[in-house]
Amino acid sequence: MRDLGVGFRYLMRGQRWVATHGKQFGFGLIPGLITLVLYAAALVALALWGTDLVTWATPFADDWSSPWRGLFRGFLTAVLFALALLLSVITFTAATLVIGQPFYESLSEKVDRDVSPDGTAPESGLPLWRELLISTRDSLRIVARAVVWGVLLFALGFIPFVGQTVVPVIGFFVTGFFLTEELTAVALQRRNIVVRDRLTMLRSRRMLVWGFGTPLALAFLVPFVAVFLMPGAVAGATLMARDLLGEETREENEESEADDNSVSR
């Protein structure tokens, strides 16, 4: 249970880091704003033409008597829009990270340099186009897993009582896990750690992952919040990645030296 609190502290430390590095925070906002505009446009289009899409997809209901035809198609339209909202929450981070790969790569590297005892940061040694290709491929794999979970949880949501109580809670933990995977991928990919090994690493510290990702998933439900939290989330995920790999930080060294000095006295 201790890891839950540790994960949340990494999330807060990341937000504090970007708050004290205004230039990095401003850079980190750009990909989120671009993604937000694209997602908002898609959802508005679905709201405007969703009914027409459902009507086109259900020609067998054309001969149904009123009010059953309207109720049936209205229900399908609502389900379609709700599913689109769920998938937008799940995929927003992946899309933002793909669009903002150069921005977040730079931010994550600066966090590494800032907290590293020797002031260095791991580098993949790969050209930018290769990093973008790997990032896009890995994001699609994670999104595919997330979509399967999203559809499954959405279907379970129709179970009376359980669907309105237990399933939403599970959904936030699942979303939090995938959010954390996507965010830590920025730092871990730079260390040439493949997606399969990343998932194994995160599963071994589920409490840590949930402590970081679940509050973030809840916050992302509030419009525009995701855009402003993304830079800090990338910074916090970089700090957490160092923890997962057992890498030392300047802060830990200072605390260790302080402890040694107190013992010698």
Side-chain angles (χ1 to χ4, degrees):
M1 294 298 290
R2 175 181 171 274
D3 267 355
L4 278 174
V6 174
F8 184 72
R9 283 198 293 274
Y10 278 127
L11 180 59
M12 293 297 99
R13 283 178 61 187
Q15 300 304 323
R16 286 198 299 271
W17 192 92
V18 295
T20 57
H21 296 74
K23 185 178 179 181
Q24 297 304 315
F25 178 67
F27 263 163
L29 289 178
I30 295 173
L33 289 171
I34 295 173
T35 309
L36 180 65
V37 170
L38 294 175
Y39 271 56
L43 289 173
V44 168
L46 186 61
L48 292 175
W49 293 294
T51 302
D52 294 336
L53 178 62
V54 170
T55 300
W56 171 81
T58 57
F60 57 85
D62 288 343
D63 298 329
W64 291 10
S65 61
S66 182
W68 304 115
R69 180 177 57 198
L71 289 173
F72 175 70
R73 285 176 171 168
F75 171 75
L76 288 183
T77 302
V79 168
L80 178 64
F81 193 77
L83 183 59
L85 282 175
L86 175 64
L87 294 179
S88 68
V89 172
I90 292 175
T91 62
F92 182 88
T93 301
T96 304
L97 289 174
V98 170
I99 292 172
Q101 174 71 15
F103 296 89
Y104 295 135
E105 186 74 24
S106 175
L107 190 156
S108 176
E109 187 175 335
K110 284 182 170 60
V111 173
D112 266 324
R113 293 186 188 280
D114 187 50
V115 302
S116 175
D118 58 4
T120 62
E123 297 181 2
S124 67
L126 299 174
L128 178 60
W129 69 268
R130 178 67 175 166
E131 290 184 347
L132 286 171
L133 183 63
I134 294 173
S135 177
T136 303
R137 182 197 64 194
D138 289 350
S139 291
L140 289 174
R141 289 177 178 175
I142 296 301
V143 166
R145 287 181 170 91
V147 167
V148 170
W149 272 97
V151 172
L152 175 62
L153 291 171
F154 185 78
L156 292 176
F158 290 99
I159 300 175
F161 184 71
V162 174
Q164 292 74 49
T165 54
V166 178
V167 171
V169 174
I170 295 174
F172 282 119
F173 278 98
V174 170
T175 303
F177 182 91
F178 285 118
L179 282 178
T180 304
E181 198 289 328
E182 288 289 349
L183 291 164
T184 53
V186 178
L188 295 176
Q189 182 182 313
R190 195 156 29 83
R191 291 161 167 83
N192 295 313
I193 299 176
V194 298
V195 63
R196 181 179 298 175
D197 292 338
R198 295 202 301 263
L199 288 170
T200 300
M201 190 182 303
L202 293 174
R203 286 169 184 151
S204 70
R205 299 281 300 276
R206 281 189 175 89
M207 288 294 180
L208 180 71
V209 171
W210 288 334
F212 182 92
T214 304
L216 195 61
L218 287 166
F220 276 16
L221 292 178
V222 182
F224 306 111
V225 166
V227 174
F228 293 99
L229 291 184
M230 274 296 291
V234 172
T238 301
L239 296 172
M240 192 170 74
R242 296 183 67 91
D243 182 356
L244 289 167
L245 294 169
E247 297 178 358
E248 294 183 350
T249 64
R250 187 175 301 164
E251 183 180 280
E252 290 172 347
N253 280 1
E254 290 172 353
E255 290 177 354
S256 177
E257 290 175 3
D259 290 341
D260 290 341
N261 291 334
S262 64
V263 169
S264 63
R265 289 173 189 171

